[in-house]
Amino acid sequence: MTIKPIRCDEDLQRAFKRLEKIFQAEEGTPQADERDVLVTLIEAYEAKHYDFGPADPVEAIKFRMEQEGLTPRDLEPYIGQSGRVSEVLNRKRALSLRMVKRLHDGLRIPYESLLAGVR
């Protein structure tokens, strides 16, 4: 395992290519250790050189839904009845602070993402 610092975008691309090859490595193997180190290096480089900013609230919700296999109906305890869920997901209604707190507590969506763009 020879890991080098990521100093430029070319290094970043090399790191991504290597990561693709070892991403499914079994835990406890040298490849898994290499994967973990590469992920840390990639994250550090991207944080320093690319400002992604917080996610859009609706995109953050949809991302969590995809991760967890949730349907709009599953959001009702956090947002309200189905009509309200639909309005939020279609950007016709903004999230209230109560909805934000429930989504954060229940689905572990970061406040930073849920409050992005709120003035």
Side-chain angles (χ1 to χ4, degrees), residues 98-112:
R98 186 176 187 162
M99 290 176 201
V100 167
K101 179 160 179 29
R102 287 179 177 171
L103 287 163
H104 172 76
D105 292 345
L107 298 178
R108 301 169 320 279
I109 300 173
Y111 280 124
E112 180 182 41

PDB file of all heavy atoms in Angstrom, residues 98-112:
ATOM      1  N   ARG A  98     -40.778  23.519  13.159  1.00  0.00           N
ATOM      2  CA  ARG A  98     -41.242  22.266  13.767  1.00  0.00           C
ATOM      3  C   ARG A  98     -40.924  21.067  12.864  1.00  0.00           C
ATOM      4  O   ARG A  98     -40.465  20.022  13.327  1.00  0.00           O
ATOM      5  CB  ARG A  98     -42.739  22.363  14.038  1.00  0.00           C
ATOM      6  CG  ARG A  98     -43.288  21.201  14.794  1.00  0.00           C
ATOM      7  CD  ARG A  98     -44.749  21.422  15.098  1.00  0.00           C
ATOM      8  NE  ARG A  98     -45.210  20.371  15.964  1.00  0.00           N
ATOM      9  CZ  ARG A  98     -46.299  20.434  16.667  1.00  0.00           C
ATOM     10  NH1 ARG A  98     -47.056  21.497  16.624  1.00  0.00           N
ATOM     11  NH2 ARG A  98     -46.666  19.425  17.424  1.00  0.00           N
ATOM     12  N   MET A  99     -41.167  21.240  11.543  1.00  0.00           N
ATOM     13  CA  MET A  99     -40.847  20.178  10.592  1.00  0.00           C
ATOM     14  C   MET A  99     -39.343  19.908  10.583  1.00  0.00           C
ATOM     15  O   MET A  99     -38.911  18.752  10.569  1.00  0.00           O
ATOM     16  CB  MET A  99     -41.279  20.565   9.177  1.00  0.00           C
ATOM     17  CG  MET A  99     -42.752  20.619   8.935  1.00  0.00           C
ATOM     18  SD  MET A  99     -43.007  21.203   7.229  1.00  0.00           S
ATOM     19  CE  MET A  99     -44.682  21.805   7.339  1.00  0.00           C
ATOM     20  N   VAL A 100     -38.554  20.982  10.593  1.00  0.00           N
ATOM     21  CA  VAL A 100     -37.098  20.845  10.582  1.00  0.00           C
ATOM     22  C   VAL A 100     -36.642  20.032  11.782  1.00  0.00           C
ATOM     23  O   VAL A 100     -35.844  19.098  11.657  1.00  0.00           O
ATOM     24  CB  VAL A 100     -36.418  22.236  10.557  1.00  0.00           C
ATOM     25  CG1 VAL A 100     -34.936  22.130  10.860  1.00  0.00           C
ATOM     26  CG2 VAL A 100     -36.653  22.916   9.213  1.00  0.00           C
ATOM     27  N   LYS A 101     -37.148  20.369  12.962  1.00  0.00           N
ATOM     28  CA  LYS A 101     -36.748  19.651  14.175  1.00  0.00           C
ATOM     29  C   LYS A 101     -37.143  18.175  14.092  1.00  0.00           C
ATOM     30  O   LYS A 101     -36.353  17.298  14.420  1.00  0.00           O
ATOM     31  CB  LYS A 101     -37.358  20.293  15.418  1.00  0.00           C
ATOM     32  CG  LYS A 101     -36.980  19.558  16.690  1.00  0.00           C
ATOM     33  CD  LYS A 101     -37.138  20.396  17.908  1.00  0.00           C
ATOM     34  CE  LYS A 101     -36.798  19.695  19.197  1.00  0.00           C
ATOM     35  NZ  LYS A 101     -35.828  18.639  19.170  1.00  0.00           N
ATOM     36  N   ARG A 102     -38.353  17.908  13.629  1.00  0.00           N
ATOM     37  CA  ARG A 102     -38.811  16.520  13.521  1.00  0.00           C
ATOM     38  C   ARG A 102     -37.980  15.730  12.504  1.00  0.00           C
ATOM     39  O   ARG A 102     -37.624  14.575  12.743  1.00  0.00           O
ATOM     40  CB  ARG A 102     -40.279  16.473  13.122  1.00  0.00           C
ATOM     41  CG  ARG A 102     -41.217  16.870  14.236  1.00  0.00           C
ATOM     42  CD  ARG A 102     -42.632  16.808  13.752  1.00  0.00           C
ATOM     43  NE  ARG A 102     -43.577  17.122  14.812  1.00  0.00           N
ATOM     44  CZ  ARG A 102     -44.862  17.308  14.616  1.00  0.00           C
ATOM     45  NH1 ARG A 102     -45.376  17.214  13.403  1.00  0.00           N
ATOM     46  NH2 ARG A 102     -45.656  17.587  15.631  1.00  0.00           N
ATOM     47  N   LEU A 103     -37.681  16.342  11.357  1.00  0.00           N
ATOM     48  CA  LEU A 103     -36.872  15.665  10.336  1.00  0.00           C
ATOM     49  C   LEU A 103     -35.459  15.402  10.851  1.00  0.00           C
ATOM     50  O   LEU A 103     -34.880  14.352  10.610  1.00  0.00           O
ATOM     51  CB  LEU A 103     -36.822  16.498   9.053  1.00  0.00           C
ATOM     52  CG  LEU A 103     -38.121  16.516   8.247  1.00  0.00           C
ATOM     53  CD1 LEU A 103     -38.109  17.664   7.248  1.00  0.00           C
ATOM     54  CD2 LEU A 103     -38.328  15.185   7.536  1.00  0.00           C
ATOM     55  N   HIS A 104     -34.921  16.375  11.576  1.00  0.00           N
ATOM     56  CA  HIS A 104     -33.580  16.199  12.136  1.00  0.00           C
ATOM     57  C   HIS A 104     -33.575  15.078  13.183  1.00  0.00           C
ATOM     58  O   HIS A 104     -32.744  14.180  13.131  1.00  0.00           O
ATOM     59  CB  HIS A 104     -33.093  17.498  12.764  1.00  0.00           C
ATOM     60  CG  HIS A 104     -31.812  17.336  13.525  1.00  0.00           C
ATOM     61  ND1 HIS A 104     -30.594  17.220  12.910  1.00  0.00           N
ATOM     62  CD2 HIS A 104     -31.578  17.234  14.859  1.00  0.00           C
ATOM     63  CE1 HIS A 104     -29.659  17.061  13.839  1.00  0.00           C
ATOM     64  NE2 HIS A 104     -30.233  17.064  15.021  1.00  0.00           N
ATOM     65  N   ASP A 105     -34.507  15.143  14.115  1.00  0.00           N
ATOM     66  CA  ASP A 105     -34.554  14.147  15.188  1.00  0.00           C
ATOM     67  C   ASP A 105     -34.911  12.752  14.675  1.00  0.00           C
ATOM     68  O   ASP A 105     -34.311  11.760  15.089  1.00  0.00           O
ATOM     69  CB  ASP A 105     -35.568  14.566  16.268  1.00  0.00           C
ATOM     70  CG  ASP A 105     -35.144  15.798  17.043  1.00  0.00           C
ATOM     71  OD1 ASP A 105     -33.957  16.183  16.979  1.00  0.00           O
ATOM     72  OD2 ASP A 105     -36.015  16.397  17.713  1.00  0.00           O
ATOM     73  N   GLY A 106     -35.876  12.682  13.769  1.00  0.00           N
ATOM     74  CA  GLY A 106     -36.365  11.386  13.321  1.00  0.00           C
ATOM     75  C   GLY A 106     -35.564  10.736  12.212  1.00  0.00           C
ATOM     76  O   GLY A 106     -35.400   9.518  12.192  1.00  0.00           O
ATOM     77  N   LEU A 107     -35.072  11.554  11.277  1.00  0.00           N
ATOM     78  CA  LEU A 107     -34.371  10.994  10.120  1.00  0.00           C
ATOM     79  C   LEU A 107     -32.891  11.356  10.096  1.00  0.00           C
ATOM     80  O   LEU A 107     -32.186  11.015   9.151  1.00  0.00           O
ATOM     81  CB  LEU A 107     -35.033  11.461   8.815  1.00  0.00           C
ATOM     82  CG  LEU A 107     -36.485  11.017   8.620  1.00  0.00           C
ATOM     83  CD1 LEU A 107     -37.043  11.576   7.319  1.00  0.00           C
ATOM     84  CD2 LEU A 107     -36.583   9.502   8.627  1.00  0.00           C
ATOM     85  N   ARG A 108     -32.438  12.073  11.099  1.00  0.00           N
ATOM     86  CA  ARG A 108     -31.025  12.445  11.234  1.00  0.00           C
ATOM     87  C   ARG A 108     -30.511  13.252  10.039  1.00  0.00           C
ATOM     88  O   ARG A 108     -29.376  13.100   9.606  1.00  0.00           O
ATOM     89  CB  ARG A 108     -30.153  11.210  11.461  1.00  0.00           C
ATOM     90  CG  ARG A 108     -30.536  10.416  12.700  1.00  0.00           C
ATOM     91  CD  ARG A 108     -29.862   9.063  12.803  1.00  0.00           C
ATOM     92  NE  ARG A 108     -29.729   8.283  11.599  1.00  0.00           N
ATOM     93  CZ  ARG A 108     -30.678   7.526  11.056  1.00  0.00           C
ATOM     94  NH1 ARG A 108     -31.852   7.440  11.626  1.00  0.00           N
ATOM     95  NH2 ARG A 108     -30.453   6.840   9.961  1.00  0.00           N
ATOM     96  N   ILE A 109     -31.364  14.112   9.497  1.00  0.00           N
ATOM     97  CA  ILE A 109     -30.936  15.019   8.433  1.00  0.00           C
ATOM     98  C   ILE A 109     -30.316  16.228   9.126  1.00  0.00           C
ATOM     99  O   ILE A 109     -30.932  16.809  10.016  1.00  0.00           O
ATOM    100  CB  ILE A 109     -32.113  15.446   7.544  1.00  0.00           C
ATOM    101  CG1 ILE A 109     -32.758  14.218   6.898  1.00  0.00           C
ATOM    102  CG2 ILE A 109     -31.644  16.442   6.483  1.00  0.00           C
ATOM    103  CD1 ILE A 109     -34.041  14.519   6.137  1.00  0.00           C
ATOM    104  N   PRO A 110     -29.107  16.611   8.756  1.00  0.00           N
ATOM    105  CA  PRO A 110     -28.438  17.727   9.440  1.00  0.00           C
ATOM    106  C   PRO A 110     -29.241  19.030   9.363  1.00  0.00           C
ATOM    107  O   PRO A 110     -29.820  19.353   8.324  1.00  0.00           O
ATOM    108  CB  PRO A 110     -27.114  17.874   8.689  1.00  0.00           C
ATOM    109  CG  PRO A 110     -26.901  16.579   7.999  1.00  0.00           C
ATOM    110  CD  PRO A 110     -28.272  16.020   7.710  1.00  0.00           C
ATOM    111  N   TYR A 111     -29.240  19.761  10.475  1.00  0.00           N
ATOM    112  CA  TYR A 111     -29.899  21.072  10.496  1.00  0.00           C
ATOM    113  C   TYR A 111     -29.338  21.963   9.396  1.00  0.00           C
ATOM    114  O   TYR A 111     -30.075  22.713   8.764  1.00  0.00           O
ATOM    115  CB  TYR A 111     -29.673  21.768  11.851  1.00  0.00           C
ATOM    116  CG  TYR A 111     -30.573  21.283  12.962  1.00  0.00           C
ATOM    117  CD1 TYR A 111     -30.036  20.799  14.133  1.00  0.00           C
ATOM    118  CD2 TYR A 111     -31.957  21.347  12.839  1.00  0.00           C
ATOM    119  CE1 TYR A 111     -30.846  20.370  15.169  1.00  0.00           C
ATOM    120  CE2 TYR A 111     -32.781  20.917  13.868  1.00  0.00           C
ATOM    121  CZ  TYR A 111     -32.213  20.433  15.026  1.00  0.00           C
ATOM    122  OH  TYR A 111     -33.024  20.017  16.059  1.00  0.00           O
ATOM    123  N   GLU A 112     -28.035  21.896   9.170  1.00  0.00           N
ATOM    124  CA  GLU A 112     -27.397  22.739   8.165  1.00  0.00           C
ATOM    125  C   GLU A 112     -28.059  22.567   6.793  1.00  0.00           C
ATOM    126  O   GLU A 112     -28.258  23.527   6.066  1.00  0.00           O
ATOM    127  CB  GLU A 112     -25.905  22.396   8.087  1.00  0.00           C
ATOM    128  CG  GLU A 112     -25.161  23.214   7.068  1.00  0.00           C
ATOM    129  CD  GLU A 112     -23.692  22.812   6.969  1.00  0.00           C
ATOM    130  OE1 GLU A 112     -23.397  21.601   7.012  1.00  0.00           O
ATOM    131  OE2 GLU A 112     -22.854  23.712   6.856  1.00  0.00           O
TER     132      GLU A 112
END
